[in-house]
Each structure stands twice: as C-alpha cells, then as structure tokens.
Amino acid sequence: MTANNGIYIAGRWENGTTGIENRNPSDLSDVIGTYGQASATQLDEALAAARAAQPVWSRAGVQKRHDVLMAIGTELMARAEEIGRLLSREEGKPLAEGKGEVYRAGQFFTYFAAEALRLHGDLAESVRPGIEIDVRREAVGVVAIVSPWNFPVATPAWKIAPALAFGNAVVWKPANITPASAIALTEIIARQDIPAGLFNLVSGPGRDVGQRLIESSAVDAISFTGSVPVGRSIAAAAVTNMTKVQMEMGSKNPMLVMDDADLDLSVAHAANAAFGGTGQKCTAASRLIVHEKIHDAFVERLVEAAKALRVGHALEEGTQIGPVVSESQLTQNLEYIGLGQSEGAELLCGGDRLERPTEGYFMAPAVFANTRNDMRINREEMFAPVTSVIKAGSYDEALAIANDSEFGLTAGIMTGSLARASHFRANMRAGCIMVNLPTAGTDYHVPFGGRGSSSFGPREQGRYAAEFYTSVKTAYVAAGDVS
C-alpha cells in the first residue's frame, strides 16, 4: 500500500493534493499511514469517468456482472483474516469483529452477484387491443456513495455491490477516519475486468469533496449512511437536481425486558447490544426499558456484566471491547456521561477513560439507571458504550416509551409471551424488530432500514435494494396486423 495513496480515478491510482495521518486508536504510537485527499478537480474527473463507463458496464450483460461480483466477494472472504486485522487496527473493534465484518462484506458481493441474474421484468396485458406491455428495471446511472467509519468495509459493500450488480457506476467517498480499509476494498475491485472509471474512490473532507459530490448534477443517486444533520443537508442538496436519495442515519434503539423474560438471557443480549463494537453501532441498544418487577435484579446483573467486559487493544487476544475510534469521539462520550449525571441519572458503573499498556482511546462501558425518557441521554444518539435503564410498570407503558422517539431503526423485546411478542412486532414503530435477540445483528439477504429520522428513501440490502439502484421502465408496443 503506497503512502499518500487514497484516490482511485478512471482506473488509476493518484496522489492527493494534501494528506491525512491515520493512527491506531488502540496504540497512538502506531501510525498506519498517510492518505491522500482529493481536490475538486479530481472529483470532477471521477464523475466524468463514471458517466463514460456506466453505459459500457450496463451493456456488458448480467453474466459479466455476476462474475465480477463473485470474484470480489470470494477474495474478501478468503482474506477476511488479513483485511480484518487492518480494519481492527484502524477502527478499533476487536479482531473477531473485524474479521467477521470483512467476511460479511464478501457475502454481500456474492449475494448480489446472484441478484444480477435475477433482475426479471414483467409482461402485462394492455386494456387496448393489439398492444403489448413490458416492464423492466434499468440502472439509474452514476451512484454517489458516502459511507461511515464504524463499518468501513461492510457498509460500503452493501451499497457498492448492488450498485454494480444492477449496472451502475460508483463514486465512493469513504470516511476519513478509516482510509486503509477503503483502499483495501478498492484494490480488490480495481483488479477486476471492469471499464476504467466504473468504480472511483475519492477521499476527502465532507465540507469540500463530500458537499461537491452530493451537489453535482452528474450524480443520479446518492446512498448515504451517517448522522441526521448531514443526512438532512444531503436531502436538501439533492432536491435541487432531483437526485434519488437513500439514507440511513441516527437511532436510539429500545430493548424491552418484560417480567416473564429469561433474566440471564436478557442481560446477555442487552450487554451484547449495548456494548458490542464499543457501542459504535447504529443498531446498539441504548435504551433498556425494564419491567418494574424484575428491574432491580436486571440492573444488578447488567452492571456485573458491564464490569466484567475486558476493554483493551483491538488486536489483543481476549479483548471484548476495543477503544473508541478517535479523541473527539471519546471527548463527546465523556461529555454525555457528565450530561446524564447533571440530568439526574444515576451512573452505576463505567463512563471513565481507562489507562492501558498502550496509549489509546479506551473507555469503560457505562450503565445509567433511574433515567427518564425525556433526558437527552435517552433522546440523542451517543454512539458510545453507554446504555440507560428506564423502569416501566407494564408492557403497555414500556411500548409507549419505546415509541416515544424521533428514531425507529431497530427495537427488541425479551419475553416468554407469544402474545406480547406478536403485539410488539405489529405495534413497535421501527424498521427491524428483534424478539429474544439483541437489537444489533442483521442478515445480509433481507431489507434493512428504519422509520422517522433513522432512514429516508428505499430500503438497503436484499432484493429490496433494486428499488433504489434501478429505475422502472414501462414499454408499450403496437405489433400491427399479421397480414
């Protein structure tokens, strides 16, 4: 991997006009590399190259697209250990999670390789005699992809794979915090037999490169994962050009723990969902709404579980929680700890910066109790290893609390009652519902997305992805008389 190499345009690697340094959040003395930042001119070149390459790729046919995506996915899965180690080194998630993410990214590509062959249309009878109708899906054109740092390989994979599968060109702006992972994925894609310019990696600051990308009239669709404020600005910019938009944004996911739930299983799933990935998941369970009959016992065991979690270097054997991704993220997390206390919440454990043999951004997982749903720690996404417990007197009260949020991504319930589980599935306003499972953890072959401020536009993943990455065309044909 070449230093200052973070830009891939029109089939060639380029250096940026400036560079950023990338350090390991588990060990700040470990400099992973220096990576290039694109200029406005380079972005414009990438967009022009994508527009030229897209029709060539679309005409290449479904078998070609299938073969290319299968090759990408197969290599990702085969190199999950190697690339997963790089990912964990720069993002901070434990190695097992890093390897799992890369393998899952490979599965996205192999799944959509098959979907390229399943892009079937429809025939319809016309209400008028002598006319035939067919309905087909076609590529939307050039897709701009803006992806986050918390899943630096998996999230772009589930966007890039369907974009390519359905015949589109891609201009990808990854997060600046995780440039090495972006380059590793790009290197695999760049080795494939695809038109020059079909896939472009353009790293750079959001205020410059990102803003210019989403405002460009050369872009036909934008797929974004990130914060609500940025998502709203993207939507506003996209309206100017009538650009198709798909966005996954914030969350404040609830997990209901009912009085008939398996207590040990509930604690295990709550700890997993709240603290896995250092809490830096959009599917993390940050609101635990617990029935008053088991509240005290649940809280006691959850605190024990949180204290028992091993926080350490992401690549160290036995680490269960790695560091927070950056100094600014850690600072924000600690500010939320202070905010929760000022609001009257009781901090039962964690919430402090930890010292380890290597200097890094380590934080003890935190549990708040005696919280109310109107507290800011229960209204705003923290993206931290922090969870809050809210006491509820009944199932109905717990459901009302869970639905009292601007977000609606994932939601879970722990219960032994089929009636409660069925009612929750029907009445919880969220895109993904989990019964006796953690709120985090989704499959790659079914739709993913939420409601409210969590999502905007068509769903991601599975066959539903075609709604965003393709455009429907209806054709009418008057064949005329046989004689």
Side-chain angles (χ1 to χ4, degrees), residues 269-315:
H269 283 346
N272 176 309
F275 305 128
T278 323
Q280 298 174 148
K281 295 181 179 181
C282 60
T283 53
S286 55
R287 292 186 298 151
L288 305 178
I289 306 168
V290 184
H291 197 288
E292 62 183 8
K293 290 183 179 179
I294 62 166
H295 174 274
D296 292 351
F298 174 86
V299 169
E300 181 181 356
R301 296 192 192 187
L302 179 64
V303 170
E304 291 175 358
K307 289 180 177 179
L309 291 169
R310 182 174 176 181
V311 181
H313 195 295
L315 302 182

Side-chain angles (χ1 to χ4, degrees), residues 101-130:
E101 177 179 337
V102 175
Y103 194 89
R104 174 58 60 90
Q107 291 176 315
F108 283 119
F109 278 96
T110 56
Y111 172 82
F112 281 107
E115 284 298 286
L117 301 177
R118 299 192 189 105
L119 196 62
H120 301 158
D122 297 300
L123 294 176
E125 293 288 337
S126 174
V127 296
R128 295 169 288 171

Side-chain angles (χ1 to χ4, degrees), residues 17-95:
T17 54
T18 60
I20 56 169
E21 188 178 70
N22 185 20
R23 289 182 181 267
N24 182 346
S26 293
D27 181 0
L28 300 183
S29 68
D30 177 19
V31 179
I32 298 166
T34 301
Y35 299 91
Q37 301 280 277
S39 65
T41 300
Q42 288 174 310
L43 174 60
D44 291 345
E45 289 173 359
L47 288 166
R51 292 217 71 84
Q54 188 274 320
V56 178
W57 176 244
S58 187
R59 291 193 299 268
V62 295
Q63 186 64 55
K64 177 67 173 180
R65 300 203 290 269
H66 167 275
D67 295 348
V68 167
L69 266 68
M70 278 296 294
I72 296 169
T74 301
E75 183 171 348
L76 278 166
M77 289 186 283
R79 296 176 60 194
E81 168 85 32
E82 170 203 346
I83 299 174
R85 182 172 292 274
L86 174 65
L87 188 160
S88 294
R89 184 179 165 211
E90 74 167 351
E91 193 273 346
K93 64 184 60 177
L95 180 57

Side-chain angles (χ1 to χ4, degrees), residues 159-480:
K159 298 173 184 292
I160 295 167
L164 297 181
F166 299 138
N168 300 286
V170 170
V171 178
W172 174 28
K173 187 210 144 350
N176 266 348
I177 297 179
T178 50
S181 295
I183 289 173
L185 176 56
T186 299
E187 286 175 337
I188 294 174
I189 297 173
R191 280 197 291 274
Q192 309 307 316
D193 181 18
I194 58 177
L198 181 72
F199 178 84
N200 304 270
L201 171 70
V202 185
S203 300
R207 64 183 180 276
D208 298 325
V209 172
Q211 193 66 28
R212 189 178 182 87
L213 176 61
I214 64 171
E215 291 177 351
S216 174
S217 60
V219 171
D220 298 295
I222 303 167
S223 183
F224 165 78
T225 298
S227 70
V228 174
V230 175
R232 286 177 174 151
S233 69
I234 288 175
V239 167
T240 302
N241 296 316
M242 296 298 178
T243 306
K244 199 172 186 179
V245 177
Q246 173 192 70
M247 299 189 296
E248 296 298 334
M249 298 171 286
S251 63
K252 201 66 189 171
N253 308 302
M255 175 184 281
L256 280 61
V257 183
M258 295 293 95
D259 53 329
D260 59 356
D262 181 314
L263 191 56
D264 290 336
L265 184 65
S266 299
V267 170
H269 283 346
N272 176 309
F275 305 128
T278 323
Q280 298 174 148
K281 295 181 179 181
C282 60
T283 53
S286 55
R287 292 186 298 151
L288 305 178
I289 306 168
V290 184
H291 197 288
E292 62 183 8
K293 290 183 179 179
I294 62 166
H295 174 274
D296 292 351
F298 174 86
V299 169
E300 181 181 356
R301 296 192 192 187
L302 179 64
V303 170
E304 291 175 358
K307 289 180 177 179
L309 291 169
R310 182 174 176 181
V311 181
H313 195 295
L315 302 182
E316 184 177 320
E317 186 175 353
T319 291
Q320 294 171 290
I321 297 181
V324 170
V325 73
S326 67
E327 183 175 12
S328 62
Q329 185 66 51
L330 179 58
T331 298
Q332 177 180 293
N333 294 353
L334 298 178
E335 288 173 351
Y336 268 114
I337 295 295
L339 174 63
Q341 292 174 307
S342 71
E343 290 182 308
E346 183 182 1
L347 182 63
L348 298 182
C349 68
D352 53 327
R353 183 170 187 170
L354 299 176
E355 298 295 327
R356 289 294 181 262
T358 54
E359 183 184 0
Y361 305 123
F362 302 104
M363 178 178 177
V367 176
F368 278 115
N370 298 319
T371 75
R372 303 183 314 274
N373 201 47
D374 62 352
M375 292 178 172
R376 282 181 60 190
I377 57 171
N378 284 326
R379 308 303 293 181
E380 301 172 9
E381 184 176 48
M382 291 184 282
F383 237 53
V386 179
T387 195
S388 299
V389 180
I390 305 171
K391 185 187 292 187
S394 66
Y395 164 73
D396 289 339
E397 181 186 359
L399 178 62
I401 293 171
N403 275 325
D404 180 16
S405 173
E406 70 170 293
F407 301 110
L409 183 55
T410 68
I413 186 170
M414 301 298 301
T415 181
S417 167
L418 178 59
R420 279 177 173 171
S422 296
H423 187 274
F424 183 77
R425 289 166 65 192
N427 293 279
M428 181 66 220
R429 293 191 293 273
C432 301
I433 304 298
M434 315 297 187
V435 178
N436 294 327
L437 289 166
T439 56
T442 58
D443 288 355
Y444 60 87
H445 67 302
V446 291
F448 175 82
R451 300 173 62 162
S453 295
S454 289
S455 298
F456 184 84
R459 287 288 189 261
E460 298 196 270
Q461 301 183 27
R463 62 185 177 85
Y464 289 79
E467 295 298 324
F468 177 72
Y469 292 99
T470 64
S471 180
V472 174
K473 177 183 286 183
T474 305
Y476 298 83
V477 178

